[in-house]
Amino acid sequence: MSVMRQVARPMLAWIFIQFGFNHLRDPSAAAPAAEAVVTPLAEYLPGFPKDHEQAVRLNGAVQVGAGAMLAMGRMPRAAALALAASLVPTTVAGHAFWKIEDPQERNQQLVHFLKNLSMLGGLLLAAADTGGRPCLARRSRAATAHARRDVRLACRSAQAANTARGVKERLPGR
């Protein structure tokens, strides 16, 4: 792993660990804002908690766990995707600047919204980072090309063996 990844991943993950831990400890501060997102999600997703504080705790647990995994470099792509998935409802619920009338408060929420949007971009980059190894699609294409080549070689070998057998049978003295 490069030094850049060793430094950047914990830097990206720290805010999720910090806020996730805070939401685990005291979900009451974020629960009222979460209502706008939790209620529709609870209707569409079976098993999703209907209680707003439980949903905030669940989101906090995902952020702490996935943030720690990203910081330590354990399954970083999956951890980054989990953090990205937890960040979208958090951003929509917590920073709905379009609903605020006061220009100063609206601007502050817009700044937080854009900050979360920037973090989402960083998480998507982290999720796409293969650590210098070829991505799954490229490895699949290479494996397919190797398999096709092997099949072609096997067919040519079989044809050559069949031709050689036919030639042997036509030779005099057999």
Side-chain angles (χ1 to χ4, degrees), residues 79-143:
L81 283 175
L83 288 171
S86 77
L87 185 61
V88 171
T90 301
T91 302
V92 171
H95 306 298
F97 66 91
W98 54 90
K99 294 180 181 178
I100 299 173
E101 296 296 326
D102 178 35
Q104 189 174 4
E105 177 66 22
R106 180 187 196 105
N107 191 41
Q108 186 178 9
Q109 290 303 319
L110 176 61
V111 167
H112 288 298
F113 182 87
L114 293 174
K115 170 198 53 111
N116 283 12
L117 195 62
S118 298
M119 289 188 318
L120 181 62
L123 289 169
L124 293 177
L125 284 173
D129 180 26
T130 61
R133 296 181 308 273
C135 66
L136 185 60
R138 184 171 175 190
R139 289 184 297 191
S140 297
R141 285 191 302 268

Side-chain angles (χ1 to χ4, degrees), residues 11-28:
M11 289 171 64
L12 181 59
W14 182 249
I15 193 167
F16 294 101
I17 296 169
Q18 178 68 39
F19 282 109
F21 184 71
N22 289 345
H23 288 159
L24 276 172
R25 231 181 14 189
D26 182 24
S28 61

Side-chain angles (χ1 to χ4, degrees), residues 22-104:
N22 289 345
H23 288 159
L24 276 172
R25 231 181 14 189
D26 182 24
S28 61
E35 182 178 351
V37 174
V38 171
T39 304
L41 280 177
E43 290 176 12
Y44 292 112
L45 297 174
F48 193 83
K50 291 180 173 88
D51 179 37
H52 305 118
E53 286 192 9
Q54 282 299 97
V56 170
R57 276 194 177 107
L58 175 65
N59 191 46
V62 168
Q63 289 184 345
V64 168
M69 288 174 60
L70 180 63
M72 292 185 298
R74 303 284 185 236
M75 295 175 50
R77 296 175 74 190
L81 283 175
L83 288 171
S86 77
L87 185 61
V88 171
T90 301
T91 302
V92 171
H95 306 298
F97 66 91
W98 54 90
K99 294 180 181 178
I100 299 173
E101 296 296 326
D102 178 35
Q104 189 174 4

